[in-house]
Amino acid sequence: ALPIYCPVNPAVPGGLLTYTGTVSNAGNILLTNVVILNNLSGVSPIFTAATLAPGAVANFTGSYVAPAACSSTSTSTGTAQSICGIAVTNAASTTCPITTTPLLAVTQACPVNPAAPGGLLTYSGTVSNAGNILLTNVVVLNNLSGVSPIFTAATLAPGAAANFSGSYLARTICSSTSTATATAWSICGVAVTNAANATCPILTTPQIAVTAVC
């Protein structure tokens, strides 16, 4: 018999996922050369025992690096031989949750040369995956650029960043504030969003004209 158990505190992607388990002799004959391997813990055994008496139970512990996923399934396989020379084997699998942190970061910047009233104000920015899990369906909208997205991406890997740009007509005011809002979903189905504001100056030309008539 070979049950295995997930850690009490789930691992994070890239962290060490340490599982535990027990191996027992459920038969009525002494077992020899008991070996346990786990498919995600490498080629070295995670447990060995020269013998295991009928009814005896032994604990084992193993670990592996948690993938950037919502959960991870590993299989521990035990092999042994009875003292009568009969080979026996058994396996157990367990699926352990992984603690993911989906995050989006957004920046927005004004143009180097301010726009004039009625001219095109073109801003730029970046959207990045600041979390530890793959994001999908990344969309960036700006409240002054209309209903069409100014940026889309099917996926954005952890640590990856992408540039975007957009524009709108500058109004006859001293400055204009727009908001870029990014949304996405993690591969675990968690929605994330973030936003950035930019207040851009408008290049106005105040003048006064005076005439005098006799």
Side-chain angles (χ1 to χ4, degrees):
L2 196 70
I4 52 178
Y5 308 97
C6 297
V8 175
N9 299 312
V12 299
L16 209 59
L17 192 158
T18 301
Y19 54 88
T20 58
T22 61
V23 56
S24 60
N25 185 341
N28 60 5
I29 191 72
L30 184 71
L31 296 179
T32 64
N33 193 28
V34 181
V35 175
I36 299 176
L37 293 164
N38 183 281
N39 67 313
L40 297 183
S41 295
V43 296
S44 298
I46 56 175
F47 175 85
T48 61
T51 61
L52 196 62
V57 179
N59 298 320
F60 64 84
T61 300
S63 61
Y64 58 88
V65 175
C70 313
S71 61
S72 178
T73 300
S74 70
T75 301
S76 294
T77 302
T79 59
Q81 278 197 335
S82 76
I83 56 173
C84 302
I86 298 174
V88 290
T89 186
N90 204 346
S93 297
T94 190
T95 299
C96 298
I98 294 175
T99 299
T100 60
T101 308
L103 290 173
L104 269 175
V106 187
T107 67
Q108 186 174 283
C110 298
V112 175
N113 299 312
L120 208 59
L121 190 156
T122 301
Y123 55 86
S124 59
T126 61
V127 56
S128 59
N129 184 342
N132 61 9
I133 193 71
L134 184 72
L135 297 178
T136 64
N137 194 30
V138 183
V139 176
V140 180
L141 291 164
N142 183 282
N143 65 313
L144 296 184
S145 293
V147 296
S148 297
I150 55 175
F151 175 85
T152 62
T155 61
L156 197 62
N163 298 320
F164 64 82
S165 64
S167 60
Y168 58 88
L169 292 179
R171 293 178 291 171
T172 308
I173 51 178
C174 306
S175 63
S176 177
T177 300
S178 69
T179 302
T181 302
T183 59
W185 290 83
S186 80
I187 56 172
C188 303
V190 178
V192 288
T193 186
N194 207 344
N197 297 324
T199 299
C200 301
I202 306 295
L203 187 62
T204 59
T205 309
Q207 293 180 347
I208 190 168
V210 180
T211 65
V213 179
C214 295

